[in-house]
Amino acid sequence: MAAESVRYPSLIVPVGHVEPVPRRIRGLIGGHVVFDTRRALYVWERPAYPQFSIPIEDMVEGALTDDHHTEPLGPGPARRHSLHIGSEIRQGAAWLWDDGAPEPLLGTVRFEWEALESWFEEDEPVFVHPRSPYSRVDALRSSSSVRVELDGVVLADAPHCVKLFETGLPTRYYLDRTHIDWPRLRPTDTVTSCPYKGTTSGYWSFDSGVATHENIAWTYDFPTPHANRIAGLVAFYNEHVDLYIDGTLLPRPTHPTSAAAPAK
């Protein structure tokens, strides 16, 4: 099938871009505060989303141990440090920006996201990575009909949908559960999180007479407030199914996704 001409907004932020974060940012390990700052910076190490960089003065004193190892991280060189909080040790968890990095980053620290147990913007938890100030997520009700087929089998046929538009990703089409052929789908234990939409509450696979297709559909029963219109609805990967919108077959997007680590 021919590749889709891109029909969604592209990412616009260059690697190395730095912006101030106008929010209070906190990180915790084992219930202990690692940092608490109102002076964090966004830094883009890749175009898709930023990381937080935290002024070292806003960290718990004595938490960093120099690993004496320097690497380039996209915006510039950074010196690796280990993190010690109470009895907890996170080896190689922090990067202190070094000479050659953008000047605003000097004296700030970028953390490996998974090394901290909790991240907060103001009093709201943040999952996976910081939300980009340049990305939008809009869920809009639509009268467009949606038919989902795979290996010649109709898996869903809905007279309407909710379209979810997310910067840098193909449009996703969320369907009422009453329009899905559930006996053909197999639930899986897969769970993924999105900083914009929340944590999934279900994934489904499809075993046809031709092939096994893992994790082709998902739902958010309790999405974030600004994506609440998709609550309880089900979407299928445009990349992995034949999707007919108002009777027209959409070319499958070429956006790189993986069933093992889905990008929705």
Side-chain angles (χ1 to χ4, degrees), residues 148-167:
V148 181
E149 296 186 9
L150 190 54
D151 295 342
V153 176
V154 176
L155 300 178
D157 197 352
H160 49 71
C161 63
V162 170
K163 295 182 181 180
L164 188 129
F165 304 95
E166 182 172 349
T167 305

Side-chain angles (χ1 to χ4, degrees), residues 14-18 43-46 72-78 97-98 100-102 105:
V15 171
H17 188 64
V18 179
V43 54
W44 277 261
E45 297 180 14
R46 60 193 66 179
L73 294 185
W97 296 100
D98 211 344
L105 294 178

Side-chain angles (χ1 to χ4, degrees), residues 148-156 180-187 204-209 211-213 216-217 236:
V148 181
E149 296 186 9
L150 190 54
D151 295 342
V153 176
V154 176
L155 300 178
I180 294 171
D181 191 349
W182 288 110
R184 296 187 182 277
L185 298 179
R186 168 173 51 85
W204 293 270
S205 298
F206 172 54
D207 303 312
S208 73
T212 293
H213 305 276
I216 61 169
F236 289 79

Side-chain angles (χ1 to χ4, degrees), residues 127-147:
F127 304 102
V128 187
H129 59 74
R131 292 180 281 260
S132 172
Y134 299 120
S135 292
R136 286 185 61 95
V137 176
D138 295 303
L140 305 179
R141 295 187 302 274
S142 173
S143 58
S144 289
S145 66
V146 179
R147 189 169 81 254

